[in-house]
Amino acid sequence: MPYDTYFGGVNAFSKEQFTLVNGFPNLYFGWGYEDDDVYHRVLNANLSVQRLSYDVGRYRHLGHRHSILGNGILKLYNTKQQRYLSDGLNNLKYKRISYNLRPLCTWISIGLYNHTGQVMQEVSNGE
């Protein structure tokens, strides 16, 4: 692990746990700090993190483009304590674009709305 509080990669939550931590924050786009933000949500909800041994909890990283981490993302991350109850599942606005039931998973494409009600980014399932 890159550091002791690392929470990136693959994580599992029950529906109740994910609701309790208010899901992922909606203000991050691109790569960087969103997983660390969620780690603090887990701690604030008095949940614990269980780490599997390497021989059990291992996966292949699929890779992604890294964003340039600027001051804006650090400023956003530094407000995590003030935002975790108001930025997440409870203020998420989206529309479903497609729904594709597969044998081992379900692919869902959505459009995320910004504060003005406009779709600001479509999130695709890779097709």
Side-chain angles (χ1 to χ4, degrees), residues 33-81:
Y33 286 96
E34 75 288 347
D35 46 2
D36 293 305
D37 196 312
V38 173
Y39 176 75
H40 287 281
R41 291 169 183 242
V42 167
L43 297 181
N44 285 326
N46 293 316
L47 297 174
S48 61
V49 175
Q50 296 178 350
R51 301 188 189 279
L52 300 176
S53 65
Y54 182 74
D55 60 324
V56 175
R58 177 173 44 175
Y59 68 97
R60 180 170 174 80
H61 182 269
L62 298 176
H64 52 74
R65 281 185 284 148
H66 289 185
S67 298
I68 296 171
L69 299 178
N71 266 349
I73 196 129
L74 292 174
K75 287 179 182 176
L76 177 62
Y77 177 71
N78 288 332
T79 64
K80 64 188 172 297
Q81 247 350 88

Side-chain angles (χ1 to χ4, degrees), residues 11-23:
N11 301 293
F13 291 91
S14 69
K15 180 180 178 181
E16 293 77 19
Q17 291 168 330
F18 201 65
T19 301
L20 184 64
V21 302
N22 198 19

